[in-house]
Amino acid sequence: MEIELRILDWIQTWHTPVLDGLMCAITTLGNAGAIWILLGLLLFLNTKTRKTGAVVMAALVLDVLFCNVLLKPYIARVRPCDVNTAVSLLIARPKDFSFPSGHTAASFAAVAALWFAGEKKLVKPAFVLACLIAFSRLYLYVHYPTDILGGIVVGMVAGYLGYRIVQKGIAYYTEKQDRSGWHIERG
């Protein structure tokens, strides 16, 4: 933990008014996974991207379960801002535990979901935004680097499992329709 605090303290030397404002804005996009939920809903509402939207939403639900229901309370890691209280926070002090980073996990769950669903055009800008959101959590002194790495892993697993669940659901539904004599367009 000592080396992680040194890394965070080093990042604190980068602060400028412009970066402070930018990092606060970027982290806000990740609050409660809002940007990713909105993306999932928009994709789901479009008939051409409905499957991708379902994958993103399934990944985000799994992410919340893994991150907020299972891992954070079980590991109960204290945030760096609660260890080094001398650092002035630019955002409200988070009240939950630190590991894994929920902002990062939700971001990478969406990125992985987009990747596995085959949305190659959206995955690149989503990846850039996910990396910026993850970095903002370090910049704002609310997560350790290993919280970010843990969030990436949890998010990628959630994205993959979200994809698999939707694939299984589509296969089940298609098989059920085929047995009933009703046929749906596959695609």
Side-chain angles (χ1 to χ4, degrees), residues 66 99-100 104-105 108-109 112 147-159:
F66 295 153
F99 185 89
T104 303
F108 279 87
D147 298 341
I148 301 304
L149 293 175
I152 291 169
V153 170
V154 168
M156 304 270 303
V157 168

Side-chain angles (χ1 to χ4, degrees), residues 18 24 30 66 75 84 89 106 109 126 143 146 158 171:
V18 171
C24 288
F66 295 153
I75 295 170
N84 182 0
L89 295 183
H143 280 293
T146 51

Side-chain angles (χ1 to χ4, degrees), residues 1-167:
M1 185 161 46
E2 181 65 31
I3 190 152
E4 291 192 86
L5 283 173
R6 282 191 203 157
I7 292 168
L8 293 177
D9 290 341
W10 175 64
I11 292 171
Q12 294 305 292
T13 66
W14 303 0
H15 279 258
T16 67
V18 171
L19 268 180
D20 289 355
L22 184 62
M23 289 297 128
C24 288
I26 288 169
T27 216
T28 299
L29 291 174
N31 287 353
I35 191 76
W36 308 115
I37 293 168
L38 179 62
L39 176 64
L41 288 173
L42 289 174
L43 290 169
F44 189 77
L45 292 174
N46 183 333
T47 55
K48 292 180 180 180
T49 57
R50 182 159 290 149
K51 178 182 155 191
T52 300
V55 173
V56 170
M57 297 307 287
L60 292 172
V61 168
L62 290 170
D63 166 62
V64 166
L65 293 173
F66 295 153
C67 226
N68 296 61
V69 176
L70 296 174
L71 293 172
K72 280 188 183 230
Y74 179 74
I75 295 170
R77 186 178 198 188
V78 176
R79 289 182 181 269
C81 58
D82 293 325
V83 172
N84 182 0
T85 56
V87 173
S88 297
L89 295 183
L90 299 173
I91 60 170
R93 184 176 300 276
K95 298 191 183 341
D96 61 345
F97 292 112
S98 191
F99 185 89
S101 166
H103 281 67
T104 303
S107 298
F108 279 87
V111 168
L114 291 169
W115 174 263
F116 289 115
E119 284 295 331
K120 303 301 186 235
K121 288 180 183 175
L122 286 176
V123 80
K124 289 175 186 174
F127 177 74
V128 170
L129 181 57
C131 290
L132 288 170
I133 288 172
F135 178 75
S136 76
R137 306 307 283 170
L138 299 172
Y139 185 91
L140 296 169
Y141 217 87
V142 293
H143 280 293
Y144 295 101
T146 51
D147 298 341
I148 301 304
L149 293 175
I152 291 169
V153 170
V154 168
M156 304 270 303
V157 168
Y160 173 73
L161 292 176
Y163 169 75
R164 296 293 297 154
I165 288 169
V166 170
Q167 286 296 96

